[in-house]
Amino acid sequence: MLDRRGFMVSGGAFALAQADAAAVDSGTNIKHDGAEAPKNTAADPLYALTPGEAEFLTAVVDAFIPADDLSPSGSECGVVVFIDRQLAGAYGAGARLYQEGPFQPGNGQSQFGPQSPLPPLQFIQLGIAELDTWSMANSNVPVRQLAKPDLNTLLQNLEAGKIALPRIDARAFFSALLQLTMEGFFSDPIYGGNRDKASWRMIGYPGLPATYSKAIKQYRGRRYQAEPRSIADFL
Amino acid sequence: MVQVLKSTDAVIVGLGWTGAIMARELSRAGLKVIALERGPDRDAAESFALPQIRDELRYSVRQELMQDPKVETVTLRHRLDDEARPVRRFGSFLPGDGVGGMGTHWNGNTFRFLPSDHRLRSHLTERYGAARIPDDMTIQDWDVTYEDLEPHYSRFEALCGVSGKAGNIAGKIQPGGNPFEGPRSGEYPNRPLTPSHANELFRHAATEIGLHPFPAPASNASAPYTNPEGASLGACQYCGHCDRFGCEANAKATPMSTLAPALRQTAGFSKVTNAYVTRVLYDAKGKRATGVRYVDLRSGETYDQPADIVVLSAWVFGNTRLMLQSGIGEPYDPRSGKGVVGKNYCYQIQPTVQLFFKDEELNPFMGAGGLGMVVDDFNGDNFDHAKLGFFGGGYISLNSTNGRPISFRPTPPGTPAWGTKWKQETAQWYRRTASVLCEGTNYASRTNALDLDPTYRDMLGQPLLRMTYNFTPNDRAMADFLLGKAAEIGRAMNATVVAPQPRKGDFNVVSYQSSHNTGGTIMGRTPSDSVVNRYLQSWDAHNVFVLGSSVFPQNAGYNPTAAAAATTYWCADALVKKYLKDPAPLVTQ
Ligand SMILES: Cc1cc2nc3c(=O)[nH]c(=O)nc-3n(C[C@H](O)[C@H](O)[C@H](O)COP(=O)(O)OP(=O)(O)OC[C@H]3O[C@@H](n4cnc5c(N)ncnc54)[C@H](O)[C@@H]3O)c2cc1C
Ligand code: SF4
């Protein structure tokens, strides 16, 4: 089987170099911030997000899922790619979301689920902009340029409801970021995240085909271990 | 413009579990039956095939098989004085959509209710005295007894090929089954499913502390099975993709896997899909319905379908909403207690205890929808409530349903939700955790009710259903009690960490709890206390019959489908044997 992770990581570095070369050649101005150059995201086309938004998400996703001996980082696993594609598709446009008014947003109403008038794409984009503004006002840099410990603190405060943003329920924004990240990390790799089934390896989830009528007894009390397989492995 | 169609003998609104059973019974009796289903038709072989069906994101998280809130949703407020907000995405419960309804993507736990559940007010009054029942607890008897329903429970179990172990056959207690259940006429059609390792740990521990564990009855066939309708089911693969998914192995009993072959061969049956019924055409003077109106959601055209008999099987929300929109029966007013339609809306309290085992390998991804080990010692009134400050209870079970990783990755209390520590804990515990679930009763309360929302509208501009709902002090006391018992079992299982997860605060519609909603069109003895009589016939329109858990006056500590199906068979029996001969009220006042 193809080692997708190895392929993507080296492919990513290669593609980034290519993109830089292209920018110089054509004279277009690809925006990135020197030492804070986007890591993996530039290797993949963006369908919905701007490069700056993808950088924001790369920083956040890598705080949520840092690289360690359990797995590569969230963005290395394709989580930003996943989020961009989800937001570019039906989900991002508000499929299966009731969007009639009147809207009664507000903090402390978490029993009802998000009440924002925005579909997920615009909701995430607004949240990114608002949190960047907040970060500029408090730390003089956008979220993607925060040092790791500062970013962690910011995310902890956001999670705890200690940050209020003017036009968006800050906690709902945090929940959406975390939920999308976990979806990207743990879903079948066909959606662009969970590259090389990194999360499935990390926890020992075997994926498909999931037919265990004999194994449920044979492996009682013993670990069932198998090379994880994705939907794509059966096509 | 409304197009009027050719009249039919019976029209059925909603083709899920109860609608499909009724369609079969009426067409078998020779009637021309048209079923109108809001959602699409899905061919199981085409739609539920490997590998695509094992897609957690698509089916479980994005809820592909379920009701689209853009078409129709509900609103929620916790108190009568609050303003309701719409449920913009479904979470705590997941209404179905399309042929098969929720029955396509249910788990398959197929429990009978206790005999005392069917006559709750009488039972509690006899045992504890009327004064013990709080004024606001508006519970009542079903007016159909367990004995009335026993043959119909049996029919449903035979239809589904339920895998289980009887605990009481004709009054004789059977080892290994549920000693608290009502007397059954026979054994389950299939032997129990193969227990998981976690199931076995639970069984041993529960036995050790003096409880009576038994395998959960499941509509996941433990072996290939052919039902009395001639439909064949395959053997369950313990695939861990049961609830929220269609079954790739055709082992899950669903309305379509069990009844489609028979319905296909019945000349009198036809169905129209993407047909969203907006009202029952009601002749209030004549006290009867003349048919139903629906909109074809693909073309946008509106149709009137005249019919001699109208069956509502559109689940709890659909049934209640259609009765209210059509002006059949008096809407319930929680302030005065007058009226009936929308009354006694109930749900379920499901606290859980999460267990973590340092030295066990549990393979959580191997599981089946209804695979569980259960104790019923603390359900309903199976234990003495004389000295307790609440009524009700629930079964406590260890279910091995799935380990799908987007949603299933518990970590011990105190673990952060992200970052390095979260990763370590997730990796350490994913394969070593299981939860003990309490399936709590929910007894009706005066203020928990359904009505039409004054503000929010569905895609056609009609009012949404509004629920006024919160847990009551009785519910919370009951849940705490159950949680204590569940934790005790967890400790007896020698779990490294026993983490009770009480349901605190106001009811929330975000995290999944159960799709076991009940009430709104309840049954009872008189038109002043109920919407339908004991035959599920409307008091206000004798040719309207209402099916499903919306007729339960309160909820029991079980999954509701077997009871909904049994009452459907009971209703069909009365319809075919009595009503067709003399189309009039079956209960006279
Ligand atoms: C994830 C999940 C797991 C579950 N697990 C279990 C379990 O283990 N055990 C158990 O007992 N129960 C379980 N349930 C609940 C079970 O599925 C339901 O109790 C059962 O299907 C109800 O049958 P019904 O006929 O009342 O409704 P449904 O089967 O849902 O059928 C109702 C149908 O009516 C249609 N409809 C609604 N409104 C209209 C309208 N206006 N016009 C036309 N059509 C309409 C709907 O589209 C739907 O197809 C589960 C449910 C879910 C979602
Ligand atoms: S667990 Fe069994 S019944 Fe359920 S979907 Fe899988 S194979 Fe079918």
Side-chain angles (χ1 to χ4, degrees), chain A residues 95-98, chain B residues 37-40 42 59 61-75 87-91 93-98 101-102 105 276 297 314-319 321 458-459 464-465 515:
Chain A
R96 296 184 162 271
L97 176 68
Y98 181 77
Chain B
E37 166 54 47
R38 178 187 53 203
R42 294 183 188 94
Y59 293 103
V61 182
R62 300 279 182 261
Q63 306 176 0
E64 178 163 313
L65 302 178
M66 288 131 198
Q67 181 177 321
D68 184 348
K70 269 200 157 47
V71 176
E72 181 188 358
T73 183
V74 292
T75 70
V87 176
R88 296 190 181 275
R89 272 189 211 288
F90 289 112
F93 43 77
L94 302 169
D97 193 56
M102 278 175 148
H105 52 77
Y276 184 18
L297 290 177
W315 198 57
V316 175
F317 298 155
N319 290 349
R321 185 163 173 246
D458 71 1
M459 73 174 285
L464 292 178
L465 196 69
S515 304

Side-chain angles (χ1 to χ4, degrees), chain A residues 116-189:
Chain A
S116 162
L118 297 176
L121 171 60
Q122 280 77 23
F123 182 79
I124 294 291
Q125 287 178 318
L126 176 64
I128 290 173
E130 301 264 287
L131 198 61
D132 264 342
T133 306
W134 191 94
S135 180
M136 290 299 292
N138 287 272
S139 317
N140 286 320
V141 286
V143 171
R144 62 179 181 276
Q145 286 177 14
L146 286 171
K148 271 184 190 164
D150 296 339
L151 177 58
N152 284 340
T153 306
L154 175 116
L155 291 171
Q156 278 157 6
N157 288 336
L158 193 64
E159 182 177 26
K162 290 181 189 156
I163 294 177
L165 300 173
R167 274 176 299 266
I168 193 168
D169 178 339
R171 274 174 108 161
F173 175 56
F174 177 86
S175 300
L177 287 177
L178 187 61
Q179 172 67 20
L180 279 165
T181 300
M182 294 303 162
E183 287 172 10
F185 191 48
F186 287 106
S187 62
D188 193 288

Side-chain angles (χ1 to χ4, degrees), chain B residues 298-337:
Chain B
R298 292 165 300 192
S299 66
E301 301 278 359
T302 304
Y303 298 90
D304 278 354
Q305 175 60 65
D308 294 336
I309 295 171
V310 172
V311 174
L312 299 185
S313 45
W315 198 57
V316 175
F317 298 155
N319 290 349
T320 306
R321 185 163 173 246
L322 284 166
M323 293 296 273
L324 289 168
Q325 298 231 108
S326 316
I328 309 177
E330 191 186 341
Y332 175 64
D333 175 0
R335 293 180 203 272
S336 67

Side-chain angles (χ1 to χ4, degrees), chain B residues 250-524:
Chain B
N250 198 44
K252 174 158 65 172
T254 71
M256 291 304 106
S257 71
T258 59
L259 285 162
L263 283 173
R264 229 176 277 125
Q265 283 160 23
T266 323
F269 173 75
S270 64
K271 62 176 187 276
V272 183
T273 57
N274 305 88
Y276 184 18
V277 176
T278 56
R279 60 173 52 243
V280 178
L281 304 169
Y282 180 46
D283 167 9
K285 271 214 197 88
K287 281 206 150 198
R288 63 189 298 278
T290 57
V292 302
R293 176 165 297 174
Y294 71 90
V295 174
D296 184 322
L297 290 177
R298 292 165 300 192
S299 66
E301 301 278 359
T302 304
Y303 298 90
D304 278 354
Q305 175 60 65
D308 294 336
I309 295 171
V310 172
V311 174
L312 299 185
S313 45
W315 198 57
V316 175
F317 298 155
N319 290 349
T320 306
R321 185 163 173 246
L322 284 166
M323 293 296 273
L324 289 168
Q325 298 231 108
S326 316
I328 309 177
E330 191 186 341
Y332 175 64
D333 175 0
R335 293 180 203 272
S336 67
K338 292 224 175 65
V340 284
V341 185
K343 190 180 174 180
N344 281 21
Y345 171 70
C346 292
Y347 189 47
Q348 193 138 56
I349 326 297
Q350 291 200 319
T352 56
V353 176
Q354 198 66 37
L355 305 178
F356 300 88
F357 298 88
K358 190 162 55 66
D359 301 316
E360 298 284 359
E361 287 285 348
L362 300 175
N363 298 320
F365 39 83
M366 300 180 187
L371 181 61
M373 199 58 73
V374 188
V375 295
D376 226 8
D377 300 62
F378 305 107
N379 206 341
D381 200 37
N382 290 346
F383 58 109
D384 189 6
H385 289 76
K387 297 206 174 67
L388 299 170
F390 64 88
F391 282 131
Y395 73 62
I396 300 175
S397 79
L398 193 146
N399 294 339
S400 291
T401 58
N402 79 89
R404 301 187 298 261
I406 298 176
S407 308
F408 176 89
R409 34 189 178 78
T411 48
T415 307
W418 48 275
T420 307
K421 179 80 178 144
W422 164 79
K423 281 182 76 178
Q424 289 162 354
E425 298 285 310
T426 303
Q428 179 178 352
W429 297 111
Y430 169 76
R431 303 189 319 273
R432 302 183 176 90
T433 181
S435 62
V436 178
L437 170 97
C438 307
E439 183 97 351
T441 52
N442 194 201
Y443 290 167
S445 138
R446 189 180 58 82
T447 48
N448 285 340
L450 303 172
D451 67 354
L452 294 178
D453 192 281
T455 307
Y456 292 97
R457 298 276 184 269
D458 71 1
M459 73 174 285
L460 299 176
Q462 315 169 104
L464 292 178
L465 196 69
R466 171 173 68 179
M467 72 169 65
T468 306
Y469 185 78
N470 214 347
F471 300 132
T472 65
N474 184 81
D475 298 334
R476 295 181 199 273
M478 187 277 298
D480 286 347
F481 174 86
L482 282 183
L483 208 55
K485 298 294 175 191
E488 206 178 311
I489 300 173
R491 284 189 295 271
M493 290 169 74
N494 292 319
T496 318
V497 181
V498 176
Q501 308 187 314
R503 294 235 181 248
K504 287 228 168 78
D506 287 340
F507 163 67
N508 90 66
V509 283
V510 182
S511 58
Y512 189 76
Q513 289 152 67
S514 91
S515 304
H516 306 161
N517 316 46
T518 66
T521 69
I522 62 176
M523 72 163 96

Side-chain angles (χ1 to χ4, degrees), chain B residues 54 107 219-221 235-242 246-252 367-369:
Chain B
R54 302 279 198 258
N107 258 330
S219 287
N220 321 111
C236 176
Q237 295 303 308
Y238 303 79
C239 73
H241 292 72
C242 204
C247 178
E248 175 267 331
N250 198 44
K252 174 158 65 172

